[in-house]
mmCIF file with all atom_site columns, all heavy atoms in Angstrom:
data_model
loop_
_atom_site.group_PDB
_atom_site.id
_atom_site.type_symbol
_atom_site.label_atom_id
_atom_site.label_alt_id
_atom_site.label_comp_id
_atom_site.label_asym_id
_atom_site.label_entity_id
_atom_site.label_seq_id
_atom_site.pdbx_PDB_ins_code
_atom_site.Cartn_x
_atom_site.Cartn_y
_atom_site.Cartn_z
_atom_site.occupancy
_atom_site.B_iso_or_equiv
_atom_site.pdbx_formal_charge
_atom_site.auth_seq_id
_atom_site.auth_comp_id
_atom_site.auth_asym_id
_atom_site.auth_atom_id
_atom_site.pdbx_PDB_model_num
ATOM 1  N N   . ALA T 1 20 ? 27.287 -3.645  -2.487  1.00 0.00 ? 301 ALA T N   1
ATOM 2  C CA  . ALA T 1 20 ? 26.826 -5.062  -2.691  1.00 0.00 ? 301 ALA T CA  1
ATOM 3  C C   . ALA T 1 20 ? 26.952 -5.432  -4.068  1.00 0.00 ? 301 ALA T C   1
ATOM 4  O O   . ALA T 1 20 ? 27.092 -6.610  -4.428  1.00 0.00 ? 301 ALA T O   1
ATOM 5  C CB  . ALA T 1 20 ? 25.384 -5.216  -2.207  1.00 0.00 ? 301 ALA T CB  1
ATOM 6  N N   . LEU T 1 21 ? 26.870 -4.473  -4.959  1.00 0.00 ? 302 LEU T N   1
ATOM 7  C CA  . LEU T 1 21 ? 26.769 -4.839  -6.419  1.00 0.00 ? 302 LEU T CA  1
ATOM 8  C C   . LEU T 1 21 ? 27.340 -3.655  -7.172  1.00 0.00 ? 302 LEU T C   1
ATOM 9  O O   . LEU T 1 21 ? 27.148 -2.501  -7.014  1.00 0.00 ? 302 LEU T O   1
ATOM 10 C CB  . LEU T 1 21 ? 25.351 -5.066  -6.887  1.00 0.00 ? 302 LEU T CB  1
ATOM 11 C CG  . LEU T 1 21 ? 25.212 -5.434  -8.278  1.00 0.00 ? 302 LEU T CG  1
ATOM 12 C CD1 . LEU T 1 21 ? 25.652 -6.802  -8.599  1.00 0.00 ? 302 LEU T CD1 1
ATOM 13 C CD2 . LEU T 1 21 ? 23.655 -5.371  -8.735  1.00 0.00 ? 302 LEU T CD2 1
ATOM 14 N N   . GLY T 1 22 ? 28.210 -4.061  -8.251  1.00 0.00 ? 303 GLY T N   1
ATOM 15 C CA  . GLY T 1 22 ? 28.518 -3.162  -9.289  1.00 0.00 ? 303 GLY T CA  1
ATOM 16 C C   . GLY T 1 22 ? 29.783 -2.410  -9.239  1.00 0.00 ? 303 GLY T C   1
ATOM 17 O O   . GLY T 1 22 ? 30.553 -2.495  -8.201  1.00 0.00 ? 303 GLY T O   1
ATOM 18 N N   . PRO T 1 23 ? 29.850 -1.388  -10.236 1.00 0.00 ? 304 PRO T N   1
ATOM 19 C CA  . PRO T 1 23 ? 29.011 -1.181  -11.337 1.00 0.00 ? 304 PRO T CA  1
ATOM 20 C C   . PRO T 1 23 ? 29.061 -2.376  -12.323 1.00 0.00 ? 304 PRO T C   1
ATOM 21 O O   . PRO T 1 23 ? 30.060 -2.946  -12.588 1.00 0.00 ? 304 PRO T O   1
ATOM 22 C CB  . PRO T 1 23 ? 29.524 -0.024  -11.893 1.00 0.00 ? 304 PRO T CB  1
ATOM 23 C CG  . PRO T 1 23 ? 30.897 0.215   -11.555 1.00 0.00 ? 304 PRO T CG  1
ATOM 24 C CD  . PRO T 1 23 ? 31.049 -0.588  -10.270 1.00 0.00 ? 304 PRO T CD  1
ATOM 25 N N   . VAL T 1 24 ? 27.749 -2.887  -12.840 1.00 0.00 ? 305 VAL T N   1
ATOM 26 C CA  . VAL T 1 24 ? 27.726 -3.918  -13.643 1.00 0.00 ? 305 VAL T CA  1
ATOM 27 C C   . VAL T 1 24 ? 27.070 -3.648  -14.985 1.00 0.00 ? 305 VAL T C   1
ATOM 28 O O   . VAL T 1 24 ? 26.137 -2.904  -14.955 1.00 0.00 ? 305 VAL T O   1
ATOM 29 C CB  . VAL T 1 24 ? 26.758 -5.022  -13.033 1.00 0.00 ? 305 VAL T CB  1
ATOM 30 C CG1 . VAL T 1 24 ? 26.435 -6.197  -14.007 1.00 0.00 ? 305 VAL T CG1 1
ATOM 31 C CG2 . VAL T 1 24 ? 27.383 -5.664  -11.819 1.00 0.00 ? 305 VAL T CG2 1
ATOM 32 N N   . ASP T 1 25 ? 27.697 -4.048  -16.091 1.00 0.00 ? 306 ASP T N   1
ATOM 33 C CA  . ASP T 1 25 ? 27.220 -3.864  -17.291 1.00 0.00 ? 306 ASP T CA  1
ATOM 34 C C   . ASP T 1 25 ? 26.780 -5.413  -17.884 1.00 0.00 ? 306 ASP T C   1
ATOM 35 O O   . ASP T 1 25 ? 27.631 -6.281  -17.803 1.00 0.00 ? 306 ASP T O   1
ATOM 36 C CB  . ASP T 1 25 ? 28.091 -3.239  -18.345 1.00 0.00 ? 306 ASP T CB  1
ATOM 37 C CG  . ASP T 1 25 ? 28.371 -1.965  -18.012 1.00 0.00 ? 306 ASP T CG  1
ATOM 38 O OD1 . ASP T 1 25 ? 27.487 -1.054  -17.995 1.00 0.00 ? 306 ASP T OD1 1
ATOM 39 O OD2 . ASP T 1 25 ? 29.619 -1.626  -17.774 1.00 0.00 ? 306 ASP T OD2 1
ATOM 40 N N   . LEU T 1 26 ? 25.513 -5.571  -18.230 1.00 0.00 ? 307 LEU T N   1
ATOM 41 C CA  . LEU T 1 26 ? 25.079 -6.934  -18.663 1.00 0.00 ? 307 LEU T CA  1
ATOM 42 C C   . LEU T 1 26 ? 24.006 -6.748  -19.639 1.00 0.00 ? 307 LEU T C   1
ATOM 43 O O   . LEU T 1 26 ? 23.034 -6.097  -19.486 1.00 0.00 ? 307 LEU T O   1
ATOM 44 C CB  . LEU T 1 26 ? 24.710 -7.762  -17.399 1.00 0.00 ? 307 LEU T CB  1
ATOM 45 C CG  . LEU T 1 26 ? 24.336 -9.105  -17.647 1.00 0.00 ? 307 LEU T CG  1
ATOM 46 C CD1 . LEU T 1 26 ? 25.575 -10.025 -18.200 1.00 0.00 ? 307 LEU T CD1 1
ATOM 47 C CD2 . LEU T 1 26 ? 23.790 -9.805  -16.301 1.00 0.00 ? 307 LEU T CD2 1
ATOM 48 N N   . ASP T 1 27 ? 24.178 -7.510  -20.769 1.00 0.00 ? 308 ASP T N   1
ATOM 49 C CA  . ASP T 1 27 ? 22.989 -7.472  -21.763 1.00 0.00 ? 308 ASP T CA  1
ATOM 50 C C   . ASP T 1 27 ? 22.445 -8.951  -21.808 1.00 0.00 ? 308 ASP T C   1
ATOM 51 O O   . ASP T 1 27 ? 23.279 -10.034 -21.671 1.00 0.00 ? 308 ASP T O   1
ATOM 52 C CB  . ASP T 1 27 ? 23.505 -7.259  -23.159 1.00 0.00 ? 308 ASP T CB  1
ATOM 53 C CG  . ASP T 1 27 ? 23.635 -5.721  -23.320 1.00 0.00 ? 308 ASP T CG  1
ATOM 54 O OD1 . ASP T 1 27 ? 23.176 -4.871  -22.506 1.00 0.00 ? 308 ASP T OD1 1
ATOM 55 O OD2 . ASP T 1 27 ? 24.424 -5.331  -24.110 1.00 0.00 ? 308 ASP T OD2 1
#
Side-chain angles (χ1 to χ4, degrees):
Chain T
L302 182 71
V305 169
D306 293 300
L307 182 65
D308 283 341

